C-alpha cells in the first residue's frame, strides 16, 4: 500500500493517530499488516472483539481495494502473519489473508455482476503476469528469481483457497492464461501444474490452436535446457522442471489408456508427441550442423539428451510407456532426414565409427539402450530397416555404439548379420545384402575385441563350402553382381580384401571370380593403388587410407626387424615377398632396409637381418655394395635437415600422446565417479582410438593369427614410443585402481578394470605391455611405490582371468623349452634372489591374492583359480615360510581374519602384517588345499635354488635351520599326495637331484650360467642345497637312487646322433658328472657286502659308463681324470670297510675287465698322476702289498713305456687288450714316429697287434673329430692330454697295418665286431665311443692307399667288408655325420683328398670298381650287397654332384661293366 492510505485506515478504525506507530512522513512506508498489528497492540481483547476487527478490515478493503496489489502484497514479510497469529490463534492464521481477499472478491464480483470464480481467475492470472514481469531480466529467461518465486508461492496459496471454497474456475483460468501465455515464465506454469492449480494437459487441451501451444512449449523447453547450468542456485529446480515435463509428455503421448479426467486425449497426445519430436529434431539438426563446446545449442542438446534415462522417464510411469517412447525415439533418430544413399554409406562409413561420432549422439544411443534389451534393439532395428527409409549415418553410428557399449551385442550382431545374409541369398534380396555388409563392416571398424575384422568375416562367410553363396549358380551370380556394383564406391582396403581372400567358387564358375578380380584391379589402378606395392604387414582390416609404398615399406622394415629380433630368423613375410612379390621387395622394401646410416660397433638387429638376407642371396650384390659404401661415409656428412625433421617427428608423436593422456584422464574421472558407470565403454573406445593414433598404422589387432608372443627377458627392449604408451596405460590403471578403491571395495567397483584389460590385450599392445611389465617387475620391482605394486598386482589378476583369450608367451633364451601361459609368465617375472626382491615378491603376491579374494568374495574355488596363477600362490607360501617362523605352523582353526586389501590401500601399508593376515584367513587356507596350488617339495627346491646366499635376508645359520626344517620336518614326512616324500629319504634325494639338474640347465632360472664348466658353482643358491644333498647321500650310504634318477632323465631325452641331440645329451651328462664328483665316492662303488666274497655292487656306475659317459665325457677310449680318480677313491673306501681289502679290490677290478673295461683303460691313461694317490690311499687303509689287479695295471703301463724305449721291452701282461691300450697311450703321449719300433711290434702277439690297430683307428678318428684339443677347455676335450695330429695318427695306423700284413694277420675282423661271447667284440665295442664305431668306414677307406690289394683280394671276407664299409660310408655322408671331418679337411691343406668325405667316397668307389673284377668266385657268395652297390652307383653320383655343387669326374664305370660278374 501507499502512504496516503495509512491515515484513512487509521481513522476508519476509530482509534488513535498513525503517528503513534512510530512512522511519520519521514519514515518508511508501512504495510497494511503492520498498521493492523499496531491497532491490535493498543486494544484489549474482549468478547466480540475478533468479529469487530474483521468487520473493520472488510470496510477498509471495500474503500481502498486494488486486487492486483492486494494479491501481490499478501506475500509480504512474515511479520504480518505472525501478528495475525497473535491476534487469531494458530488455527485460523493460515487462512486469514485468503479469507479477507475472498470476502473482497465476493463484494467486487457482486458490484460488477460477474461470477466470483471468473473474477478470481482473472485476478490471479493478472497477478501472475505482474510477478513474471517484475524481474527486469531479459525476455529469454524461463526461470523465476528467488523473490518472484516467493511471491508466486504466496499467490498460489490464495488460489488454492479459492479453489477449495468454490471461488475458482479452472476453465476460465486456462483461457486467461492462453491469452497471456507469451508473458508467462515456464517455471510459473510448472508451479501451477505442480501445486494442482491447473494441470498442463488442461492448459494445452483447452485451446484448439495446437501449433501455438507446441511452439510456446518448444521455445521455452529449449530455453530451459540452455539455462539449466547457468546458475547453480536454480539448477535443481530446472532439472526437476525438465524431468516433470518429460514425464508428463511421455505419459500423455505414449500411454495407451485414456485420460481419466475425461478430456479428449487425442489433442493432448498430439501436443506431447509433437513437442518431443520437435526437441529431438532440433537436437539432431544441431548435431548435423556442428556444435561448438559450451555454445547455447550444445548446452540445449546435452541437457535434453540427459532426460533419456530410466530415472527421468520412470517414476509413476509404467514400464511399457518408456519402452514405447524409447523405441519411437530410436525410430526417429534412425529415419531422420534419410538423404544419404547406400553408395554414400559405402564410401563414408569409416567416418562414422564410435570414436568419430559426436559424444552427444553416442550418449543418446547409450541412454536408449538402457531401457531396451539387446534382442529388442536388434528386433526394432530390423523392423526400421525393413519398413523405413533410413539415415545411414545414424544407423551405422548406432551399430558402432551398440557393439561397443553393450557386452552381449557383438555376438548378437554377428548372428543377426548371418541371418540377414541367409535371407538375402535365399530370395536374392538386395536390401538384406546391403544392410548385412554395411553392418558387418561397421562393426568390424570397432576392432577385433568386439567383432571380427572385415577380412576374417568375409573369409568366414564366403571362403568355404559352407558359405552362404555356395547353394547354386544363382547365389554365386547374385554375390558377384552385388560386389561388382559396389566396386565404383569401394575403399581400396575392401577391394584388396576381396582379391586376396576371394569367395570359394567351384572351378566351373571360376570365370565369375576372375571377372570380378579384373574389375577390382582396374578400379585399384584408377585409384593409383597397386596390389604389388602392398606392404608385407599391411592390415586389410584397417580403416586408414592407403599410404605411399615407401612409407609402407619403412613400416614393414620396422616390423620385420622386430620379428627378427624376437625369433632370430628371417620373417616368413619377408621370405615370401622375396619370391612372390619381387617388385615390391626390390623396389621398396630393400631400399628402405638398406638406408645408409652409421653402423654400430656391435651389430644390432637391423644389421643382423641384413646379413641374414645377404647370406640367403636375397640382396643383390650391387645393392649391398652400394649400401656398405654409403654407410662408410654416412658419419662424415649429416643432412642439415636432419634436426628439424626429428623435431617435427617428435612433435607429431607428442600431440597424439597428449591426446591419449587426456583420454585416460577422462576415463579416470569416470572411474572415480560412481554415477558415470554407463559411459565406461565410450571412454575406452576413445582410448582405443587414441592408441591407434599414437602407435601409427601397422598390423592391427585381430582375433586370428596370434598363437604366441615372442619376448626377451634378458634384455627387454621397447621403442621410445612404445614405452611411453605402456607407461601411460600402466600408470592410468594404477591410478584408476586407487581412485576406485578409495570409493568402494574391489567387489563393488564395476567392470572398468575388465574392460580396460580387454583394451590393452590386443595383438599389437599385448607384447608391449608384457615387455614393460617384465622390465618393471623383474628389474625395477623393489623401487616401485606401494600404489604401483597394488595396481600392477590387480592388473596381473585381470590378465589371469583372461588367460583363455590370450596367446602363450615364448621367452627368448635363456628360457623354458615350452611357451608359458600369460599368468605363468607374469608369475615367473617375480624374482626371489635377494632380500629386496624377496620382499617385493611378498608385497606383490600379497596384493594380488588379496585383490582376487576381495574382488570375488563369494565365488567358487574354480573362479579364484582362474584369477590366480599357481606359481604366484606357491611363491607366496615359499616366502612366508622363509620370512615368518609362525607361518611354519598350521594356523589355528579360530583364525578368521578379514580381507587385507583394505590394509594395503592405506597410505602406510603394513605389508608383513597384511601377509600374515592373508595367511591366517580361512578362505585362503581352503584355497591351498587344492593340489595344484599347494607348495610341494619340488616347488620348494626350485624356488630355494634361486636364492643368492650372500644377499639373502637369512643368515647362514638361519638358512641352515630353515632348510633343515623344510626338508627333514616339513616335506620328508609329508605324504606324496600333499607334495611330500612319504618319509622316504631316497625319494627326497632323487627329487633334489632332478631339480638341481634342471636348474643347472637354466630350465628354472633365467640367470643360470652359460658356461657348462661352472654349473653347480655359479648357479645361485645351489651351494647350500647341494650341501643338503651331500648330507642325505651320506645318510643313505649308497647311490642307487642317483643312477635311477639319471636313467629316467636320459630315457626322456630325444635319441639320435644329430648335433643338437648330442649336445643336449652331453650337457646333461656333464651335470651328472659334476654331481657325482660332489658326492661321496661311495656313491660310485658302494659298501662291501656282508657275505663272502665281499665285492661291492658297481653295476649302476658301470652301466652309466658303458651307455653314456664313454660317448660324451671321454678322452677317446678313456674317461676324464676327475671321474677316474673319484672311482678309485670309492674303491679304496670300500676296501677300508672290508675285512679283506685286497680281495675286495681284486674283485672290483676283475669285474671291470668284463663289465666296464673303460675304467681300466682310463687308469692307464692317467697312471702317472693316479699311481701316487692310489699307493698313498692303499697304505692308509692296509699295510700289505697292493692288490694283484692294481699291480697288473702298473705292469701294463710299464710295458707300454718300455716298448718305446731303447731298453728291452718287458713282457706284456694279460689280458692283451689291456697291454695294447697301454702301448697305444704311450705312443700318443710320446708324439713321435714308431717306425723305429717295428722290431718291437713284430715281436708282439697277433691279438695285441689287432687291438693296438683298433686303438690306433680310434686315435685317427679322434684327431679328425677334435683337432688341436689341447687349446680347448678341459671340460670339453674328447682326446688325450696331448693331441695327435691327423697325419701323425694316420702314420701310426699305417705302420701297425703294415706290421699286420707282414705277419699275414687278418685285420678285417675289426670291421665286423659283434657282441659274440669269447671274442674281442664285446670288449672293443665297450672301449670305443659309439660315434667312433659308426665312423669306422671312414677310417677303413682313409687307409686305402696303405692296403696290400693282392693280399686282401685273397681273403674271402674282403669283398663283403669293403662293400659294407662303402655303403655305410655313404649312409654316414647322407646323414651328415661326416660334417666335422669335412670342416677339418676344408681348413687343412694337408688333408685335402685325405679327410675330405667327398674325395674319400670317390676313391672308395674307384677302388671297389677296380677290385671287384679281380675277386675270386667265392667272394660273391653274398650278392645282396653287390646288387645294392650296383643300383645306387648312378643315384649317388647325381646326388653327390648336387650336394657338392660341382662336377664329379666321370670315374665311375658304367653299371654295364658289373654285369659280367656273377
Amino acid at each position: 500500500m501507499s502512504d496516503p492510505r495509512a491515515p484513512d485506515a487509521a481513522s476508519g478504525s476509530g482509534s488513535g493517530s498513525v503517528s503513534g506507530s512510530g512512522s511519520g512522513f519521514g519514515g518508511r512506508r508501512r504495510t497494511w499488516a503492520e498498521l493492523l498489528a499496531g491497532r491490535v497492540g493498543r486494544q484489549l481483547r474482549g468478547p466480540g472483539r475478533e468479529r469487530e476487527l474483521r468487520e473493520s478490515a472488510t470496510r477498509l478493503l471495500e474503500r481502498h481495494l486494488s486486487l492486483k496489489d492486494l494479491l501481490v502484497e499478501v506475500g509480504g514479510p512474515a511479520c504480518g502473519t505472525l501478528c495475525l497469529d497473535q491476534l487469531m490463534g494458530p488455527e485460523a492464521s493460515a487462512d486469514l489473508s485468503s479469507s479477507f481477499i475472498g470476502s473482497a472478491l465476493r463484494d467486487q464480483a457482486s458490484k460488477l455482476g460477474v461470477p466470483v470464480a471468473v473474477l478470481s481467475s482473472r485476478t490471479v492470472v493478472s497477478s501472475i503476469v505482474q510477478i513474471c514481469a517484475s524481474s527486469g531480466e531479459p525476455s529469454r529467461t524461463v526461470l523465476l528469481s528467488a523473490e518472484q518465486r516467493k511471491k508466486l508461492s504466496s499467490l498460489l496459496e490464495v488460489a488454492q483457497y479459492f479453489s477449495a471454497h468454490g471461488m475458482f474456475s479452472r476453465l476460465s483460468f486456462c483461457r486467461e492464461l492462453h491469452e497471456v501465455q507469451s508473458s508467462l515464465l515456464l517455471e510459473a506454469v510448472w508451479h501451477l501444474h505442480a501445486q494442482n492449480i491447473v494441470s498442463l494437459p488442461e492448459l494445452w487441451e483447452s485451446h484448439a490452436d495446437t501449433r501455438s501451444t507446441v511452439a510456446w512449449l518448444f521455445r521455452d523447453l529449449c530455453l530451459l535446457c540452455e539455462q539449466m547450468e547457468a546458475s547453480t542456485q536454480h539448477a535443481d529446480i530446472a532439472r526437476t522442471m525438465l524431468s516433470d515435463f518429460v514425464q508428463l509428455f511421455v505419459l500423455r503421448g505414449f500411454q495407451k489408456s485414456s485420460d481419466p479426467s475425461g478430456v479428449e486425449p487425442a489433442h493432448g497426445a498430439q501436443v506431447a508427441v509433437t513437442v518431443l519430436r520437435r526437441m529431438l529434431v532440433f537436437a539432431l539438426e544441431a548435431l548435423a550442423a556442428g556444435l561448438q563446446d559450451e555454445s547455447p545449442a550444445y548446452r540445449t542438446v546435452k541437457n535434453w539428451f540427459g532426460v533419456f534415462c530410466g530415472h527421468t522417464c520412470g517414476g509413476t510411469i509404467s514400464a511399457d510407456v518408456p519402452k514405447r517412447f524409447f523405441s519411437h525415439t530410436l525410430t526417429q533418430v534412425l529415419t531422420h532426414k534419410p538423404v544419404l544413399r547406400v553408395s554414400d554409406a559405402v564410401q563414408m562409413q569409416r567416418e562414422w565409427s564410435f570414436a568419430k561420432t559426436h559424444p552427444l549422439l553416442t550418449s543418446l544411443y547409450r541412454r536408449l539402450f538402457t531401457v531396451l534389451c539387446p534382442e529388442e534393439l536388434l528386433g526394432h532395428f530390423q523392423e526400421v530397416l525393413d519398413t523405413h527409409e533410413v539415415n545411414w549415418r545414424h544407423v551405422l553410428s548406432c551399430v558402432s555404439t551398440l557393439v561397443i557399449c553393450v557386452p552381449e551385442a557383438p555376438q548378437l550382431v554377428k548372428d543377426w548379420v548371418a541371418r540377414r545374409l541367409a535371407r538375402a541369398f535365399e530370395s536374392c534380396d538386395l536390401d538384406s545384402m546391403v544392410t548385412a555388409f554395411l553392418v558387418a563392416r561397421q562393426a568390424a571398424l570397432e576392432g577385433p575385441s568386439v567383432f571380427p575384422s572385415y577380412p576374417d568375416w568375409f573369409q568366414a562367410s564366403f571362403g568355404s563350402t559352407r558359405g552362404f553363396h555356395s547353394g547354386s549358380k544363382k547365389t554365386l551370380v547374385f554375390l558377384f553382381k552385388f560386389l561388382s556394383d559396389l566396386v565404383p564406391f569401394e575403399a581400396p582396403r575392401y577391394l584388396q580384401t576381396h582379391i586376396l581372400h576371394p569367395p570359394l567358387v567351384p572351378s566351373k564358375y571360376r570365370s565369375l571370380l576372375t571377372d570380378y578380380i579384373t574389375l577390382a584391379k582396374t578400379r585399384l589402378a584408377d585409384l593409383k593403388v597397386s596390389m604389388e606395392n602392398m606392404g608385407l604387414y599391411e592390415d586389410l582390416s584397417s580403416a586408414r587410407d592407403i599410404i605411399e609404398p615407401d612409407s609402407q615399406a619403412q613400416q614393414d622394415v620396422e616390423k620385420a626387424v622386430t620379428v627378427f629380433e624376437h625369433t632370430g630368423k628371417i620373417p616368413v613375410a619377408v621370405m615370401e615377398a622375396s619370391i612372390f612379390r619381387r617388385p615390391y621387395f626390390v623396389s621398396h622394401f630393400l631400399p628402405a632396409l638398406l638406408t645408409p646410416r652409421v653402423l654400430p660397433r656391435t651389430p644390432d638387429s637391423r644389421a643382423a637381418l641384413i646379413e641374414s638376407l645377404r647370406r640367403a642371396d636375397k640382396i643383390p650384390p650391387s645393392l649391398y655394395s652400394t649400401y656398405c659404401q654409403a654407410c662408410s661415409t654416412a658419419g662424415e656428412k649429416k643432412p642439415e635437415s636432419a634436426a628439424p625433421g626429428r623435431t617435427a617427428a617428435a612433435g607429431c608423436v607428442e600431440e597424439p600422446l597428449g591426446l591419449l593422456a587426456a583420454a585416460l584422464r577422462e576415463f579416470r574421472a569416470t572411474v572415480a565417479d560412481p554415477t558415470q558407470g554407463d559411459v565406461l565403454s565410450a571412454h575406452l573406445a576413445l582410448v582405443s582410438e587414441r592408441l591407434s593414433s599414437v602407435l601409427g598404422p601397422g598390423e592391427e589387432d585381430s582375433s586370428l593369427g596370434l598363437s604366441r608372443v615372442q619376448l626377451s627377458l634378458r634384455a627387454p627392449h621397447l621403442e621410445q614410443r612404445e614405452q611411453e604408451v605402456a607407461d601411460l596405460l600402466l600408470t592410468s590403471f594404477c591410478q584408476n585402481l586407487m581412485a576406485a578403491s578409495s570409493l568402494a571395495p574391489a567387489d563393488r567397483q564395476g567392470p572398468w578394470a575388465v574392460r580396460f584389460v580387454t583394451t590393452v590385450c590386443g595383438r599389437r599392445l599385448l607384447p608391449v605391455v608384457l615387455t614393460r611389465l617384465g622390465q618393471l617387475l623383474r628389474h625395477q620391482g623393489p623401487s616401485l611405490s606401494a600404489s604401483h605394486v597394488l595396481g600392477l598386482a590387480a592388473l596381473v589378476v585381470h590378465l589371469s582371468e583372461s588367460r583363455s583369450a590370450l596367446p602363450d608367451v615364448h621367452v627368448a633364451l635363456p628360457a623354458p623349452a615350452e611357451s608359458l601361459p600369460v599368468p605363468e609368465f607374469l608369475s615367473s617375472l617375480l624374482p626371489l634372489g635377494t632380500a629386496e626382491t624377496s620382499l617385493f615378491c611378498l608385497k606383490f603376491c600379497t596384493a594380488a591374492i588379496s585383490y582376487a579374494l576381495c574382488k570375488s568374495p563369494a565365488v567358487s574355488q574354480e573362479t579364484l583359480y582362474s584369477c590366480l596363477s599357481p606359481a604366484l600362490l606357491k611363491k607366496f607360501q615359499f616366502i612366508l615360510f622363509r620370512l615368518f617362523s609362525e607361518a611354519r605352523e598350521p594356523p589355528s582353526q579360530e583364525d578368521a581374519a578379514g580381507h587385507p586389501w583394505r590394509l594395503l590401500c592405506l597410505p602406510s601399508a603394513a605389508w608383513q602384517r597384511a601377509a600374515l593376515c592373508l595367511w591366517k584367513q580361512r578362505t585362503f587356507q581352503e584355497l591351498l588345499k587344492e593340489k595344484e596350488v599347494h607348495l610341494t617339495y619340488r616347488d620348494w627346491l626350485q624356488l630355494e635354488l634361486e636364492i643368492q646366499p650372500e644377499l639373502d635376508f637369512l643368515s647362514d645359520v638361519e638358512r641352515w635351520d630353515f632348510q633343515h626344517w623344510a626338508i627333514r620336518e616339513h616335506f620328508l614326512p609329508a605324504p606324496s599326495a600333499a607334495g611330500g616324500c612319504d618319509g622316504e629319504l631316497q625319494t627326497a634325494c632323487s627329487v633334489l637331484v632332478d631339480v638341481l639338474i634342471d636348474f643347472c640347465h637354466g630350465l628354472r632360472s633365467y640367470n643360470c650360467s652359460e658356461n657348462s664348466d661352472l654349473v653347480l658353482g655359479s648357479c645361485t643358491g645351489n651351494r647350500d642345497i647341494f650341501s643338503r644333498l651331500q648330507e642325505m647321500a651320506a645318510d643313505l650310504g649308497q647311490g642307487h637312487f642317483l643312477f635311477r634318477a639319471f636313467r629316467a632323465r636320459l630315457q626322456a631325452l630325444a635319441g639320435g646322433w644329430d648335433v643338437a641331440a648330442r649336445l643336449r645329451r652331453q650337457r646333461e651328462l656333464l651335470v651328472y658328472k659334476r654331481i657325482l664328483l660332489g658326492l661321496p665316492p661311495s656313491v660310485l662303488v658302494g659298501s662291501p657286502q656282508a657275505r663272502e666274497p665281499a665285492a661291492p655292487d658297481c653295476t649302476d656306475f658301470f652301466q652309466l659308463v658303458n651307455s653314456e659317459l664313454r660317448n660324451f665325457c671321454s678322452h677317446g677310449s678313456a674317461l676324464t681324470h676327475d671321474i677316474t680318480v673319484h672311482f678309485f677313491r670309492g674303491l679304496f673306501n670300500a676296501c677300508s670297510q672290508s675285512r679283506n681289502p685286497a680281495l675286495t679290490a681284486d674283485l672290483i677290478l676283475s669285474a671291470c675287465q668284463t663289465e666296464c673295461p673303460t675304467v681300466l683303460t682310463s687308469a692307464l691313461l692317467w697312471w702317472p698322476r693316479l699311481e701316487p694317490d692310489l699307493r698313498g690311499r692303499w697304505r692308509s687303509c692296509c699295510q700289505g702289498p697292493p692288490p694283484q689287479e692294481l699291480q697288473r695295471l702298473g705292469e701294463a703301463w710299464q710295458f707300454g713305456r718300455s716298448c718305446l724305449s731303447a731298453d728291452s721291452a718287458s713282457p706284456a701282461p694279460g689280458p692283451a687288450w689291456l697291454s695294447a691300450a697301454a702301448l697305444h697311450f704311450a705312443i700318443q703321449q710320446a708324439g713321435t714316429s714308431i717306425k723305429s719300433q717295428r722290431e718291437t711290434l713284430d715281436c708282439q702277439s697277433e691279438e695285441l697287434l689287432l687291438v693296438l690297430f683298433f686303438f690306433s683307428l680310434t686315435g685317427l678318428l679322434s684327431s679328425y673329430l677334435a683337432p688341436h684339443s689341447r687349446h680347448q677347455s678341459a671340460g670339453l676335450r674328447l682326446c688325450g692330454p696331448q693331441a695327435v695330429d691327423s697325419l701323425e695318427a694316420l702314420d701310426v695306423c699305417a705302420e701297425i697295418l703294415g706290421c699286420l700284413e707282414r705277419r699275414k694277420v687278418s685285420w678285417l675282423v675289426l670291421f665286423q665286431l659283434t657282441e659274440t661271447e669269447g671274442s674281442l667284440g664285446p670288449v672293443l665295442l665297450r672301449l670305443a665311443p659309439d660315434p667312433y664305431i659308426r665312423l669306422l668306414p671312414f677310417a677303413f677307406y682313409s687307409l686305402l692307399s696303405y692296403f696290400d690289394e693282392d693280399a686282401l683280394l685273397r681273403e674271402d671276407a674282403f669283398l663283403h667288408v669293403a662293400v659294407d664299409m662303402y655303403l655305410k660310408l655313404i649312409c654316414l655322408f647322407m646323414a651328415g655325420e661326416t660334417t666335422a671331418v669335412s670342416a677339418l679337411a676344408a681348413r687343412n691343406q694337408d688333408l685335402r683328398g685325405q679327410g675330405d668325405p667327398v674325395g674319400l667316397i670317390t676313391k672308395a668307389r674307384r677302388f671297389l670298381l677296380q677290385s671287384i673284377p679281380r675277386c675270386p668266385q667265392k667272394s660273391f657268395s653274398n650278392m645282396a650287397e653287390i646288387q645294392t652297390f650296383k643300383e645306387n652307383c648312378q643315384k649317388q653320383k647325381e646326388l653327390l654332384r648336387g650336394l657338392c655343387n660341382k662336377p664329379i669326374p666321370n670315374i665311375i664305370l658304367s653299371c654295364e661293366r658289373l654285369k659280367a660278374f656273377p
Side-chain angles (χ1 to χ4, degrees), residues 9-64:
S11 61
S13 64
S15 175
S17 171
V18 176
S19 61
S21 68
S23 180
F25 292 100
R28 67 177 180 85
R29 297 194 321 171
R30 294 180 296 168
T31 65
W32 173 80
E34 290 174 331
L35 291 173
L36 186 60
R39 294 287 298 173
V40 172
R42 289 193 296 270
Q43 296 182 8
L44 298 176
R45 292 191 180 188
R49 186 60 184 163
E50 182 177 347
R51 182 179 56 81
E52 293 177 2
L53 183 61
R54 289 186 178 182
E55 291 177 354
S56 297
T58 300
R59 288 195 297 270
L60 178 64
L61 287 173
E62 289 176 351
R63 293 174 57 191
H64 303 283

Side-chain angles (χ1 to χ4, degrees), residues 5 64-75 101 105 108 119-120 122-131 151 155 180:
R5 296 176 181 173
H64 303 283
L65 179 62
S66 173
L67 288 174
K68 293 183 180 180
D69 290 342
L70 177 62
L71 292 174
V72 173
E73 191 68 29
V74 79
I101 297 173
L105 279 175
Q108 187 79 10
L119 180 59
S120 64
R122 186 176 301 167
T123 304
V124 172
V125 169
S126 178
S127 300
I128 292 174
V129 172
Q130 183 179 352
I131 292 173
K151 291 180 179 181
L155 176 62
V180 295

Side-chain angles (χ1 to χ4, degrees), residues 531-547:
M531 290 293 295
E532 288 74 16
N533 289 337
M534 280 184 62
L536 307 185
Y537 299 97
E538 189 169 349
D539 183 25
L540 298 178
S541 65
S542 173
R544 300 184 180 92
D545 293 325
I546 301 293
I547 62 177

